[in-house]
Amino acid sequence: VGGYLYSRSRGEFTLAWRMGTPITLTLDPNGGSFYGSDVPSVVAVPKNAAVGGLPTPFKADYTLSAWYTKKTGGTKVTAKTKFAKNAKLFARWAKSKFKVTLAAGNAGSKKLTGSGTYAWGSKVKLTATPKSGYSFWYWAPDDTDSENAFPSYLKNMRKTPVTLTVPKHAVRYRAFFVKKSADAISMSVIGPTEIFAEDGVGEKATVQDVVDGRE
């Protein structure tokens, strides 16, 4: 736009407009798809000019990393990339990431590790370190999806560390601890119980959780 101090200028202006020679870019979603028929798989861009933004395809449980000039390898395409001739571009995908959250279910937690955001399918080690005077008790899921994601949940719920395969959704687990005492039992932590003591010297007592039958 011609004119001195353009923000204050008035009157007629001269606008220089140059389209350039258009070329076409064919977009291969590479296992994904475009939303609706209004999103083109072929776009026209000016020759030797920055391509700007390109359509974003969709693929369940994946996130678009970028467009590339080849299906494998090739050059990453950015908004500033220029093309001198027609080209075919390929979408490159990364696994979507989901959050793993850990929290203490009661007193006795010193440190919990494993919280974070991970790509689904990742192997994550969950550890629960108790404070002095406490012992780790068990892991408890915050919801059914979390329980189903825990590897062999009923078998491994009392183990730390334990390895979790990150599912295709966020999960939350709580670590519970039991306070040590002279007789190795803390009634205030265990909760509703029934205690059965066998007769005879040297026999041990059995503490049973009446909620789910754990001993």
Side-chain angles (χ1 to χ4, degrees):
V1 176
Y4 179 70
L5 293 177
Y6 69 90
S7 62
R8 300 178 183 178
S9 298
R10 296 291 184 273
E12 296 182 358
F13 294 87
T14 300
L15 175 63
W17 180 273
R18 183 175 58 193
M19 284 292 294
T21 304
I23 60 172
T24 58
L25 300 178
T26 302
L27 306 178
D28 184 338
N30 192 18
S33 58
F34 290 104
Y35 286 109
S37 58
D38 56 330
V39 179
S41 59
V42 177
V43 296
V45 297
K47 183 178 180 179
N48 294 320
V51 299
L54 294 174
T56 300
F58 167 80
K59 185 178 180 180
D61 303 316
Y62 286 84
T63 302
L64 179 68
S65 294
W67 290 100
Y68 281 79
T69 55
K70 293 182 179 180
K71 195 168 187 177
T72 57
T75 303
K76 181 180 179 179
V77 178
T78 70
K80 296 181 179 180
T81 302
K82 301 177 182 180
F83 290 90
K85 59 182 180 180
N86 296 343
K88 186 174 183 178
L89 306 182
F90 298 85
R92 192 74 57 82
W93 300 98
K95 290 182 177 180
S96 297
K97 294 184 177 182
F98 298 92
K99 194 170 184 179
V100 176
T101 303
L102 302 181
N106 61 353
S109 174
K110 180 179 180 181
K111 185 178 182 181
L112 303 177
T113 61
S115 294
T117 302
Y118 307 92
W120 61 265
S122 299
K123 303 292 185 182
V124 180
K125 183 182 289 187
L126 311 183
T127 62
T129 304
K131 293 179 182 177
S132 177
Y134 287 82
S135 297
F136 170 75
W137 191 11
Y138 69 97
W139 294 105
D142 271 2
D143 52 52
T144 303
D145 286 340
S146 297
E147 179 177 332
N148 292 338
F150 207 106
S152 303
Y153 174 69
L154 293 178
K155 178 180 178 181
N156 294 301
M157 62 182 291
R158 291 182 180 272
K159 293 182 179 181
T160 183
V162 68
T163 300
L164 168 71
T165 301
V166 178
K168 297 178 182 179
H169 55 76
V171 291
R172 289 179 55 90
Y173 295 99
R174 295 185 182 275
F176 286 84
F177 301 83
V178 61
K179 189 173 182 180
K180 296 178 181 178
S181 61
D183 58 2
I185 298 175
S186 175
M187 300 303 297
S188 61
V189 176
I190 292 178
T193 59
E194 292 180 0
I195 297 179
F196 305 91
E198 298 289 344
D199 292 334
V201 178
E203 295 292 341
K204 64 181 180 180
T206 299
V207 179
Q208 182 174 0
D209 186 334
V210 293
V211 175
D212 59 9
R214 291 195 303 265
E215 294 187 354

